[in-house]
Amino acid sequence: MDLKKDSWVISLDLPRPSLSNNIGDADRIIQALKNKIKTSYVDIDYDLLKEIPQLIRSYDYNILCTFFKYRDKCILIDIKNNSNLNHNIIGLAVDLGTTRIVMRLIDLTNGNKINELTFDNPQIQIGPDILQRIHYAEKNDGLKELNQLLIQEINNQITRLCSISSISNKDIYCIAIAGNTAMTHFLMGLDPHWIIREPYIPVINNFGLIKASKLGIIANPRSQVLIFPNIGSYFGGDLISGILYSNIYNSKETSILVDVGTNAEVVLGNKDWMIACAGAAGPALESGVSEIGITACPGAIEKIQFNSDINDFEFFTIDNQKPVGICGSGFIDLAAALFISGMIDIRGKFVPEKCNNRLKYIDEILHFIVVKNENSSISSDLSISQADLESLIRSKAAMYTILRTITNSVGISFSDLSNFYIAGTFGNYINPKSAITIGMIPDLPLDKYKPLGNSSLEGASLVLSSISKTQNIEKIRDSITYMELNVNQEFMNRFSAAKFIPHTDKNLFPTVFNNNRHY
Amino acid sequence: MDLKKDSWVISLDLPRPSLSNNIGDADRIIQALKNKIKTSYVDIDYDLLKEIPQLIRSYDYNILCTFFKYRDKCILIDIKNNSNLNHNIIGLAVDLGTTRIVMRLIDLTNGNKINELTFDNPQIQIGPDILQRIHYAEKNDGLKELNQLLIQEINNQITRLCSISSISNKDIYCIAIAGNTAMTHFLMGLDPHWIIREPYIPVINNFGLIKASKLGIIANPRSQVLIFPNIGSYFGGDLISGILYSNIYNSKETSILVDVGTNAEVVLGNKDWMIACAGAAGPALESGVSEIGITACPGAIEKIQFNSDINDFEFFTIDNQKPVGICGSGFIDLAAALFISGMIDIRGKFVPEKCNNRLKYIDEILHFIVVKNENSSISSDLSISQADLESLIRSKAAMYTILRTITNSVGISFSDLSNFYIAGTFGNYINPKSAITIGMIPDLPLDKYKPLGNSSLEGASLVLSSISKTQNIEKIRDSITYMELNVNQEFMNRFSAAKFIPHTDKNLFPTVFNNNRHY
């Protein structure tokens, strides 16, 4: 078989046994494997061990080994006949999101992507956010229920994914899962109680490999799961995975990586050092914050701008359907457009004389109509309230303050950054121009902003296609200094200054006031 | 608790969690454990992990850790409250013999022996010797049956041993098992087929730790089993365990260790080098070889000598019961007595004129009556045949030849040996004078002969009471050169010369011809 170098599948043409070379069958394999992959210790799956004598003889000692290694734990999972060229040896990469879970099949022999699918985290039915789920887990059997919901859905979706890919669950030998700390706890059935209570202690930071069957995951009965380690309750394996994918840890250039969800997680650094922090970014960038705020789905407005010629908004929805709401990136666009057109002021307040007839009271609260009833697919106008805008401004101010705080802490300025990576689906859709306009992110040349896509999934995929990349997980984990965001007076002062659009200090955002460049 | 140093139970007063020390619960323990025992990696039992958050808080972070380590695999098995002084934390040492199994309970906190018991290997009902069992294992479900017989009986006896020791099976956290290669395969349910076929390949040499529950052993559900490694099909973990106990590997003096069973296993060396070999010693020293040959049991003649004054044999039986047979050590005594008294000649042939009326034909085969009908507890005379003697002579010749071959191979003479260890129950009962007289072992000063007792059990016990001793297992395994006993012309010449009593070369056995010294 034509195998990619640095993969978890390697071919071994073993020395044949003789009176002068009569080490055990398993030791024969392990010795050859150790020589080839430079590891000090290889464990062998006990169920595999029982089959080894029959297998290696029927393969005439010319075998394909599938193994998995993380830290000092290296496990031989499977052997196959190397003379037969037709084997499915598959890996499964999982981005275990709070809201969505994405799974991707990778061919372990060559690192090629086979297929992927996305599905809702079934725990949403217990609670859309982590906090609700953790409280639920504290009730009788709540944790077990959350765990089983998750595992069952994962199993259903693995079966579906395998089915559309014409493989069997049994063809999956290595699984890499990246998720936030709470999701990882739910996956493993570990008590998340202390994650949300000061001083915020996870049950475990760095678990490493575990047999899929122990977790109840239906794949090859001997398959092993690598669960990405976390650095703390608020800095999960999904971000470690993202760092792995971003390559920040390996680059001379200093870069920043931002992952925005309920929390903003930020990593700053280069190959010599990395510093990370996480802070509540506020709910404005997620669903449920305004009547029109939704997660990305067909009909969600993902881009929007004000066209003064027609005195109306031009927008793009996902799948070009009639708008049903507005998602995070669209909301940022909207705020930027409102600011540029003067419909909101520097404090984010509606300016009635500029808003024409778009303002109305709903339940005594002032709303701004974005899309009229007749153009939306819901039974009313799509509108945002003053409160929605304030919520967004708090979020953007938090984000900018976190970015200032982390760069200040190591004495660098934004202009020292070579890359500004934005992870997550948010990163794919966000328009950096809009985000700069509202003062959410620094006023850097646009080409420094690089969406990473689903960096958590990509990092997990890397693990399945590269032994050496996997070894870097530990390096990343160990080299990150985690900075507690102490909300001190200095932080609060920065935060207050950032609660204006774009900022109290206009010099920080020169291009916002130079329309020619951005618009 | 007052803990022995170097034990598998250590106390850790963990740093309390705080905002500036918020690593995970499990990582907190592992970090402290790693610092204390100097290991690079600690794995944690997954079932234990689930309980850790609740446990460490209820113990206020002051804990007793029970762990087990072999090679690069270190596993945290249990944590207990260090403020409570009353814990049963027990280890189980097992000598997994082909015929007998011995189990001993050890207090892991202080290394003290608690209790032990011996029972027959239940596989005897399938076949008394390993060869028969291996053939049986090749039939449908034969291996499974042999494995289950063994595991069930081990479980019954563990329960019995725990019961008489007022502990529970659940108090057993670490288990160390030493057995020959075939028995270890039966224990693990591994196919022994190739062990007995050239080039004699075991399924595995060095398995290391495995969870007791995977083997079906009923102890604490998280307990771990260390299975002593083998060096090959004919050099098992029982001997590695014996070497560990003998301390040969750690001594400046050159010593030899002999373990006699169906095979004679021999190790020669010191702290700088060790060489080992194993060879068929013949069946004469085990049961079933002569009508009166039995394993040590009540009524077995274990010592015998000829008293010319009364013209009869004086003998000692186990438990002072009427003789039912003669065991290995008694048989050697008998042959020595027959030779000294002139009743057999240098070839081992009966000398009729010296045997008085003790010779008779049974089924046309010449027999020598050792104990008359009326003095034995069987319904006939206890007698040995010419063939029995020849069998013994082949065995003793094989033993002596192996000893000559192994010492010659490294260019040392018998007189260079500081210690001549004889392992096994055989070693406890054998009279070195008799063994020298028949030329089975070299003519060394008697004080060099040291019985080791059940060195396999003692080595397994050492493992349970000492981390550092356990680390030496790998050192022993790696430093032994295994010498294949090629039965070449030189070996056959030596063997032929050794088939006389004591030897064709009388100069090798000066004391045998100086009755004053030995008799």
Side-chain angles (χ1 to χ4, degrees):
Chain A
M1 231 169 157
D2 223 18
L3 298 170
K4 175 181 165 290
K5 273 195 181 175
D6 195 31
S7 83
W8 297 111
V9 185
I10 65 167
S11 65
L12 295 174
D13 196 3
L14 300 171
R16 295 342 182 231
S18 67
L19 279 173
S20 60
N21 179 349
N22 58 2
I23 62 167
D25 292 333
D27 305 77
R28 185 173 303 273
I29 299 171
I30 287 170
Q31 196 173 78
L33 188 61
K34 278 165 74 173
N35 285 342
K36 207 144 175 180
I37 62 169
K38 311 291 175 224
T39 192
S40 66
Y41 181 72
V42 178
D43 220 338
I44 189 163
D45 182 274
Y46 179 49
D47 295 319
L48 174 63
L49 179 65
K50 292 181 182 177
E51 295 177 18
I52 284 221
Q54 190 268 320
L55 294 179
I56 55 167
R57 285 171 181 80
S58 72
Y59 303 159
D60 194 25
Y61 299 90
N62 187 5
I63 59 173
L64 280 181
C65 290
T66 305
F67 64 104
F68 210 9
K69 185 188 175 189
Y70 177 61
R71 300 162 84 195
D72 289 354
K73 199 167 173 180
C74 180
I75 300 170
L76 179 62
I77 300 172
D78 185 64
I79 67 169
K80 295 198 186 300
N81 189 346
N82 194 27
S83 307
N84 180 339
L85 302 181
N86 229 339
H87 296 297
N88 287 327
I89 307 176
I90 311 296
L92 176 72
V94 181
D95 165 38
L96 192 68
T98 304
T99 308
R100 296 275 172 83
I101 298 171
V102 192
M103 300 200 305
R104 175 187 285 170
L105 295 177
I106 305 267
D107 186 329
L108 291 175
T109 65
N110 55 28
N112 292 345
K113 293 168 194 172
I114 298 174
N115 251 318
E116 69 182 67
L117 55 74
T118 302
F119 55 96
D120 285 346
N121 186 324
Q123 295 176 335
I124 290 172
Q125 63 189 80
I126 304 285
D129 68 52
I130 286 294
L131 210 62
Q132 285 167 284
R133 295 181 206 171
I134 291 179
H135 289 309
Y136 190 86
E138 287 155 6
K139 295 176 192 163
N140 288 342
D141 286 333
L143 175 59
K144 196 172 167 191
E145 197 182 325
L146 281 157
N147 171 262
Q148 289 184 351
L149 263 178
L150 183 63
I151 298 293
Q152 277 166 16
E153 182 65 2
I154 286 175
N155 284 335
N156 291 341
Q157 299 287 348
I158 291 176
T159 301
R160 199 179 126 212
L161 184 55
C162 288
S163 166
I164 60 173
S165 311
S166 302
I167 63 160
S168 151
N169 294 46
K170 289 191 177 151
D171 297 329
I172 298 174
Y173 293 94
C174 301
I175 301 176
I177 302 181
N180 63 49
T181 304
M183 279 312 305
T184 305
H185 277 55
F186 289 132
L187 177 78
M188 296 182 73
L190 300 178
D191 183 4
H193 181 88
W194 300 101
I195 285 182
I196 54 168
R197 288 170 171 85
E198 196 176 323
Y200 314 111
I201 309 290
V203 177
I204 190 161
N205 298 127
N206 205 355
F207 193 78
L209 293 183
I210 181 169
K211 208 165 172 177
S213 59
K214 278 197 186 168
L215 297 177
I217 293 178
I218 300 173
N220 186 286
R222 298 192 299 264
S223 69
Q224 291 281 337
V225 182
L226 191 160
I227 296 173
F228 274 79
N230 64 70
I231 292 185
S233 291
Y234 293 106
F235 198 98
D238 48 351
L239 198 51
I240 303 272
S241 182
I243 296 167
L244 182 71
Y245 178 61
S246 75
N247 214 35
I248 288 180
Y249 70 97
N250 210 16
S251 167
K252 279 186 196 167
E253 297 177 333
T254 300
S255 304
I256 204 163
L257 165 62
V258 175
D259 197 342
V260 186
T262 309
N263 288 303
E265 290 152 342
V266 178
V267 182
L268 170 69
N270 53 42
K271 70 179 181 56
D272 297 317
W273 54 268
M274 284 190 285
I275 183 164
C277 67
L285 305 174
E286 287 209 325
S287 63
V289 281
S290 69
E291 286 155 28
I292 58 168
I294 54 172
T295 51
C297 66
I301 295 174
E302 54 174 350
K303 283 181 194 298
I304 188 164
Q305 61 185 57
F306 192 74
N307 184 333
S308 54
D309 294 344
I310 60 169
N311 194 32
D312 203 354
F313 291 94
E314 291 175 333
F315 53 81
F316 304 90
T317 61
I318 294 174
D319 292 352
N320 271 324
Q321 299 198 7
K322 265 195 160 184
V324 295
I326 186 162
C327 67
S329 58
F331 200 13
I332 292 168
D333 273 358
L334 176 62
L338 292 175
F339 179 69
I340 293 296
S341 63
M343 288 186 272
I344 58 175
D345 64 17
I346 188 173
R347 300 166 303 157
K349 299 286 180 198
F350 294 126
V351 180
E353 55 271 34
K354 296 275 187 163
C355 293
N356 305 321
N357 53 356
R358 288 181 177 268
L359 292 181
K360 69 168 180 182
Y361 282 91
I362 304 173
D363 296 338
E364 298 179 31
I365 296 167
L366 192 59
H367 278 69
F368 180 93
I369 298 163
V370 183
V371 179
K372 292 225 162 66
N373 194 352
E374 58 267 29
N375 294 327
S376 81
S377 75
I378 57 174
S379 55
S380 61
D381 299 332
L382 282 184
S383 64
I384 57 163
S385 69
Q386 188 65 62
D388 291 336
L389 267 175
E390 281 164 15
S391 170
L392 175 66
I393 287 172
R394 275 195 304 278
S395 289
K396 80 95 186 171
M399 170 61 78
Y400 189 77
T401 308
I402 291 169
L403 294 173
R404 277 295 294 273
T405 304
I406 196 169
T407 47
N408 263 32
S409 74
V410 290
I412 69 168
S413 68
F414 289 134
S415 59
D416 296 325
L417 298 174
S418 297
N419 302 284
F420 195 111
Y421 296 113
I422 307 178
T425 43
F426 185 74
N428 280 349
Y429 297 108
I430 194 175
N431 182 341
K433 283 190 293 191
S434 301
I436 291 170
T437 300
I438 65 168
M440 184 179 189
I441 56 178
D443 195 357
L444 296 175
L446 293 181
D447 60 3
K448 292 207 174 176
Y449 286 99
K450 287 162 191 167
L452 276 189
N454 187 338
S455 56
S456 166
L457 181 68
E458 297 296 345
S461 303
L462 268 186
V463 156
L464 296 173
S465 54
S466 165
I467 300 174
S468 52
K469 289 282 182 186
T470 306
Q471 288 168 346
N472 289 330
I473 294 175
E474 190 72 350
K475 182 184 159 191
I476 292 169
R477 219 196 82 85
D478 288 346
S479 64
I480 290 180
T481 305
Y482 187 71
M483 184 176 82
E484 276 300 325
L485 269 187
N486 290 313
V487 181
N488 54 20
Q489 194 52 50
E490 192 189 342
F491 186 95
M492 288 314 292
N493 291 347
R494 280 203 195 107
F495 182 65
S496 298
K499 270 166 69 182
F500 291 82
I501 300 177
H503 196 273
T504 50
D505 182 356
K506 287 186 178 181
N507 294 327
L508 292 172
F509 291 86
T511 66
V512 174
F513 301 95
N514 170 8
N515 251 2
N516 293 336
R517 166 139 178 239
H518 272 132
Y519 292 87
Chain B
M1 233 170 154
D2 222 20
L3 298 170
K4 176 180 164 289
K5 274 197 179 175
D6 195 33
S7 84
W8 297 111
V9 185
I10 66 168
S11 64
L12 295 174
D13 195 5
L14 299 172
R16 297 337 184 233
S18 69
L19 279 173
S20 60
N21 179 350
N22 59 359
I23 62 167
D25 292 332
D27 305 76
R28 184 173 305 273
I29 300 171
I30 287 170
Q31 198 173 77
L33 187 60
K34 277 164 75 172
N35 285 342
K36 206 141 176 182
I37 63 168
K38 311 293 176 219
T39 192
S40 66
Y41 182 72
V42 177
D43 221 338
I44 190 163
D45 182 273
Y46 179 47
D47 296 319
L48 174 63
L49 178 65
K50 293 181 182 176
E51 296 177 18
I52 283 220
Q54 190 268 321
L55 294 180
I56 56 168
R57 286 173 181 79
S58 72
Y59 303 159
D60 195 25
Y61 299 91
N62 187 5
I63 58 173
L64 278 182
C65 291
T66 305
F67 64 104
F68 210 10
K69 185 187 176 191
Y70 178 61
R71 300 161 84 193
D72 289 354
K73 200 167 173 179
C74 180
I75 300 171
L76 179 62
I77 301 171
D78 186 65
I79 68 170
K80 296 199 187 298
N81 189 347
N82 194 27
S83 308
N84 179 339
L85 302 180
N86 229 341
H87 296 297
N88 286 327
I89 307 176
I90 310 297
L92 176 73
V94 181
D95 166 39
L96 192 68
T98 304
T99 307
R100 296 273 172 84
I101 298 171
V102 192
M103 299 200 305
R104 176 186 285 168
L105 295 177
I106 306 266
D107 186 329
L108 291 175
T109 65
N110 54 28
N112 293 346
K113 292 167 195 173
I114 298 175
N115 250 319
E116 68 182 66
L117 55 74
T118 303
F119 55 96
D120 284 346
N121 186 324
Q123 296 177 335
I124 290 172
Q125 64 189 82
I126 304 285
D129 67 52
I130 286 293
L131 209 64
Q132 285 166 283
R133 295 181 205 170
I134 292 180
H135 288 311
Y136 190 86
E138 287 154 5
K139 296 176 193 164
N140 289 341
D141 286 332
L143 174 58
K144 196 172 165 189
E145 199 181 323
L146 280 157
N147 171 261
Q148 290 184 349
L149 263 178
L150 184 63
I151 297 294
Q152 278 166 15
E153 181 65 2
I154 286 175
N155 284 335
N156 291 341
Q157 299 287 347
I158 290 176
T159 302
R160 202 180 123 211
L161 183 57
C162 288
S163 166
I164 60 173
S165 310
S166 302
I167 64 160
S168 149
N169 294 47
K170 288 190 177 152
D171 297 328
I172 298 175
Y173 293 93
C174 302
I175 302 175
I177 303 181
N180 63 49
T181 305
M183 280 311 306
T184 304
H185 276 56
F186 289 131
L187 177 79
M188 298 183 71
L190 301 177
D191 184 3
H193 181 88
W194 299 100
I195 286 182
I196 53 167
R197 288 170 174 86
E198 196 177 323
Y200 313 112
I201 310 290
V203 177
I204 191 161
N205 299 126
N206 205 356
F207 193 79
L209 293 183
I210 182 169
K211 208 165 172 176
S213 59
K214 278 197 186 170
L215 297 177
I217 292 177
I218 300 172
N220 185 286
R222 299 192 298 263
S223 69
Q224 291 281 337
V225 183
L226 191 161
I227 297 173
F228 274 80
N230 63 70
I231 293 186
S233 291
Y234 293 106
F235 198 97
D238 48 352
L239 198 53
I240 303 272
S241 181
I243 295 167
L244 182 70
Y245 178 61
S246 74
N247 214 34
I248 289 181
Y249 70 97
N250 211 16
S251 167
K252 281 186 194 168
E253 297 176 334
T254 300
S255 305
I256 204 163
L257 166 62
V258 174
D259 198 342
V260 186
T262 309
N263 288 302
E265 290 153 340
V266 178
V267 183
L268 170 69
N270 54 42
K271 70 179 181 55
D272 298 316
W273 55 267
M274 284 190 282
I275 183 164
C277 67
L285 304 175
E286 288 211 323
S287 64
V289 282
S290 68
E291 286 154 26
I292 56 168
I294 55 171
T295 52
C297 66
I301 295 174
E302 53 173 353
K303 284 181 194 299
I304 189 165
Q305 62 185 56
F306 192 74
N307 184 334
S308 52
D309 294 343
I310 58 168
N311 196 31
D312 204 354
F313 292 95
E314 291 175 333
F315 53 80
F316 304 90
T317 62
I318 295 174
D319 292 351
N320 272 324
Q321 301 200 4
K322 266 197 161 184
V324 296
I326 186 162
C327 68
S329 59
F331 200 12
I332 291 168
D333 274 357
L334 175 62
L338 291 175
F339 178 68
I340 294 296
S341 62
M343 287 186 270
I344 57 174
D345 64 17
I346 189 172
R347 299 166 305 159
K349 299 285 181 199
F350 295 126
V351 180
E353 56 272 30
K354 296 274 188 165
C355 293
N356 304 324
N357 51 356
R358 288 181 176 269
L359 294 181
K360 70 169 180 179
Y361 282 91
I362 303 172
D363 296 339
E364 297 178 32
I365 296 168
L366 191 61
H367 278 69
F368 179 93
I369 298 164
V370 183
V371 181
K372 292 223 163 68
N373 192 354
E374 58 267 30
N375 294 327
S376 82
S377 75
I378 57 174
S379 56
S380 62
D381 299 332
L382 281 183
S383 64
I384 57 162
S385 69
Q386 188 65 62
D388 291 336
L389 266 175
E390 280 163 16
S391 170
L392 174 65
I393 288 172
R394 276 195 305 277
S395 289
K396 81 94 186 170
M399 170 59 80
Y400 189 78
T401 307
I402 291 168
L403 295 172
R404 278 295 295 272
T405 304
I406 195 169
T407 47
N408 262 33
S409 74
V410 289
I412 68 166
S413 68
F414 289 134
S415 60
D416 297 327
L417 297 174
S418 297
N419 303 285
F420 195 112
Y421 296 113
I422 307 179
T425 43
F426 185 73
N428 281 347
Y429 296 108
I430 194 175
N431 181 342
K433 284 191 290 191
S434 300
I436 292 170
T437 300
I438 66 167
M440 184 181 189
I441 57 178
D443 194 357
L444 295 175
L446 293 182
D447 61 2
K448 294 206 173 178
Y449 286 100
K450 287 162 191 167
L452 277 188
N454 187 340
S455 55
S456 167
L457 181 68
E458 297 297 344
S461 304
L462 269 186
V463 157
L464 296 173
S465 55
S466 165
I467 301 173
S468 52
K469 289 283 181 184
T470 306
Q471 288 170 345
N472 289 329
I473 294 175
E474 190 72 352
K475 183 184 160 193
I476 292 169
R477 218 196 83 85
D478 289 347
S479 63
I480 290 181
T481 305
Y482 187 71
M483 183 175 81
E484 275 300 325
L485 269 187
N486 290 313
V487 181
N488 53 21
Q489 193 55 48
E490 192 188 341
F491 185 94
M492 287 313 295
N493 292 346
R494 279 203 196 105
F495 182 65
S496 298
K499 270 167 70 183
F500 291 82
I501 301 177
H503 197 273
T504 51
D505 182 357
K506 289 185 177 180
N507 294 326
L508 292 172
F509 291 87
T511 66
V512 174
F513 301 95
N514 170 8
N515 253 3
N516 293 337
R517 167 142 178 233
H518 272 133
Y519 291 89

